[in-house]
Amino acid sequence: MSADLSGALFWKEQNLLVVSDLHLEKGSSFAARGVLLPPYDTVATLSRLASVVARLDPKIVIALGDSFHDRSAHERLSSPDREAIVALQARRDWIWISGNHDPALPSDLGGTVASEVAIGEIVFRHEPTGAAGEIAGHLHPKARVATRARWLERRCFASDGERAVMPAFGAYTGGLSIRDEAFAKIFRKPGFMAHVLGDNRLHTIAASRCY
Amino acid sequence: MLVPANRFEVLECAVAIDAVSENAQDTPPLRTGALDVLAQHVLGCACGKPFLSEQLYDEVRTAAPYAELSRVDFDDVVDFVATGGYALKTYERFARIKQDKNGCWRVTNPKVRQSYRLNVGTIVEEPMLKVRLVRSRAGGSGSTGAIARGGRLLGEIEEYFIEGLSAGDTFVFGGEVVRYEVLAEDQVYVSRANDSDPKVPSYMGGKFPLSTYLAERVRKLLADKRAWKGLPDQVREWLSLQAHFSRVPEARELVVETFPRGNKHYLVCYPFEGRLAHQTLGMLLTRRLERLRARPLGFVANEYALAIWGLGDASFMIRQGKLDLNALFDPDMLGDDLEAWLAESALMKRMFRTCALISGLIARRFTDEEKTRRQVLFSTDLIYDVLHKHQADHVLLRAARADAAAGLLDLRRLGDMLTRIKGRITHRELDRVSPLAVPVMLEIGREAVYGEASDELLAEAAEELVREATG
């Protein structure tokens, strides 16, 4: 299983692609509360996802929860964005894992809705529990690294080899520091790693050395 | 009373006294009214009482900075206040102000008013970190081990200052000397220390460019060796050392020095065109250096000089003919390079953040939930990227660009300088920092370069940590 620079996870043997926390329609969700963010986040997120899918051509795609920013977000999808999702789903199995932001996904979105998926020893679910063999999202890990020139803050995968938390894929998704207690609870032992998304490659840095 | 704080400032004070005796003026030109500020004003007017576009447009233009405001720009700002000003008209139902049947713009609900009142104002703070006092951890190396949460809150400090510290450094805060232990999210943990030489925090607010035209007088003073007689001994000595080890710039020439320091390579030049023009030059030169694979990391400018540092050895590149200073300083940098640079620069993101906060796109204080400033900073960067890609002519991006061009770039002076020094560049390869370079090297307000060097830095950090762990 390999972490992709885009923030997706690719399991070659299973031809399986996982993306987490797309938070589609986060812009319009804020707009409804009076913060008029640019309404282009969904198209930005979907076009990034489309390029990953085109590059790796997976047989199965798992959207690991919080694919939509709120319960009614899917109703606000524009027709072109809706069509883009349909196009992504063509010729492959598509699984929407439900998350805390989108606990009840409708069936007209295409694909299958599930609360979790197990393939062999591996379990895919939205909120991490700390179980071995678990791939989760929810926390939006990011790492700040002190380099000799400046601080660099990037999204990252968090993993100890037994379990992993994926970075958020959405265009407007912020991050939670990998040093937050939430990660300590999942990994328990301090020796977990941040796989930091650089510009052109991933960098593996001990979480204890990030901020 | 004038109190010079370093040798360079003695020169500045000397020429300032001359300028005063000549009754010379140093007045900055009047600024054009910013569109983000106008947006806040338009919303404020609507919160007061309903307004008609025509009347408000006429009223706004009675203010000198907005006298030339076009109707198109004004209408774009009103559209922005109403629904965000997006090409995609999806936010009509979320409008903050709406026209009634008489054409009057009215606030749509009382929450808009409440939010306006919480966020009114045009001064935007730098990102801050909370400083907490904890007990010292023996041999603390900055980031290993669990972080002791809690601790008494001593106050807030600019993130910029902490970024320049290493664990174990001491600084003065709240009248005490404290040791920097560790940083976690937006909290800086410090312990009491007993150091006779602590650092003193500097603040971005302190780096306002004070003078625009003194620099030229300083350049003339430097070039005129006979005039040095009137200067204090220490300053004369300093200039003589500069003449001995490197070169004192003549009136029309540009002196460029390259030297190693620490584990970085520096390139320092002395254009004497003021901080703003130098910052722009810094942005454009680092871009070119990046293209030439000199791997620049950052730069800092003051009123007289610009220092750029990076991983690549500029001295070596010049010797090998891989770096041509005449080409590097060619005025054609003000064309495509400038446009391309602005599009992706950290400075534009910072300007955009300011515009987003002032215009009311993003609230600084929320009525329902509190967001930390750190989260706001991060999210405006994300918004900038998306907006720039999908609607590059959006009114807020125009506002950010105008702010940058007028307030921070000083393109006219930079253009004049580049033309003046064409064919008059003198390079000195040095084995250490020159006397003249010291003041700029101590300057605050460093700008980071965000380019391909990022990956290299991350890789280096990763390797270094592996070495530490296995060695």
Side-chain angles (χ1 to χ4, degrees), chain A residues 38-86:
Chain A
Y40 309 117
D41 57 316
T42 301
V43 66
T45 304
L46 288 176
S47 65
R48 270 176 52 236
L49 180 54
S51 73
V52 181
V53 166
R55 176 159 50 88
L56 298 170
D57 193 24
K59 194 81 207 77
I60 313 166
V61 174
I62 296 180
L64 203 54
D66 287 1
S67 304
F68 294 88
H69 189 69
D70 58 65
R71 281 162 192 260
S72 55
H74 59 90
E75 294 163 16
R76 298 194 305 272
L77 282 174
S78 70
S79 314
D81 290 342
R82 200 174 281 274
E83 282 156 26
I85 293 173
V86 171

Side-chain angles (χ1 to χ4, degrees), chain A residues 78-148:
Chain A
S78 70
S79 314
D81 290 342
R82 200 174 281 274
E83 282 156 26
I85 293 173
V86 171
L88 280 171
Q89 291 171 335
R91 292 175 292 103
R92 51 182 63 92
D93 293 329
W94 189 282
I95 302 165
W96 300 104
I97 303 280
S98 47
N100 51 311
H101 280 259
D102 53 359
L105 283 163
S107 50
D108 68 348
L109 281 166
T112 319
V113 178
S115 61
E116 57 182 60
V117 168
I119 299 176
E121 305 278 286
I122 309 290
V123 180
F124 297 91
R125 65 167 69 91
H126 180 64
E127 285 190 45
T129 62
E134 177 184 82
I135 309 281
H138 184 58
L139 294 175
H140 304 195
K142 69 165 188 211
R144 200 188 307 154
V145 183
T147 72
R148 73 169 140 127

Side-chain angles (χ1 to χ4, degrees), chain A residues 27-28 31-32 35-40 144 148 150-151 153 155 173-174 177 179 198-200 203-205 208-209, chain B residues 86-87 91 94 143 145 163 183 185 263 297 311 361 374 378 382-383 391 448-449 451 454-455 459-460 465 468:
Chain A
S28 61
V35 181
L36 302 171
L37 298 184
Y40 309 117
R144 200 188 307 154
R148 73 169 140 127
R150 58 177 185 264
W151 289 350
E153 189 172 77
R155 300 177 201 205
T173 47
S177 167
R179 296 298 298 280
D199 294 332
N200 299 300
H203 304 272
T204 301
I205 298 173
S208 60
R209 305 308 300 253
Chain B
Y86 302 112
Y91 288 170
F94 307 131
S143 52
E163 191 168 351
L183 171 86
E185 272 291 276
N263 45 14
L297 295 172
L311 301 174
L361 175 70
R374 160 152 291 284
F378 189 54
L382 297 175
I383 293 162
Q391 193 178 341
V449 177
S454 295
D455 267 329
E460 223 180 66
L465 300 174
E468 253 175 55

Side-chain angles (χ1 to χ4, degrees), chain B residues 135-150:
Chain B
R135 223 172 283 163
S136 177
R137 297 173 309 142
S141 57
S143 52
T144 46
I147 295 160
R149 300 273 162 179

Side-chain angles (χ1 to χ4, degrees), chain B residues 302-360:
Chain B
N302 68 8
E303 301 290 334
Y304 318 99
L306 166 71
I308 298 174
W309 57 91
L311 301 174
D313 183 347
S315 300
F316 180 74
M317 288 179 74
I318 292 168
R319 249 183 281 135
Q320 297 280 306
K322 284 183 183 138
L323 177 60
D324 173 2
L325 289 177
N326 286 307
L328 185 67
F329 284 88
D330 194 289
D332 65 8
M333 71 172 76
L334 294 176
D336 294 349
D337 268 357
L338 177 68
E339 283 311 307
W341 183 81
L342 277 181
E344 63 191 50
S345 78
L347 178 136
M348 277 299 282
K349 285 184 179 172
R350 213 157 59 212
M351 294 298 301
F352 179 76
R353 169 178 174 264
T354 306
C355 288
L357 291 171
I358 291 175
S359 68

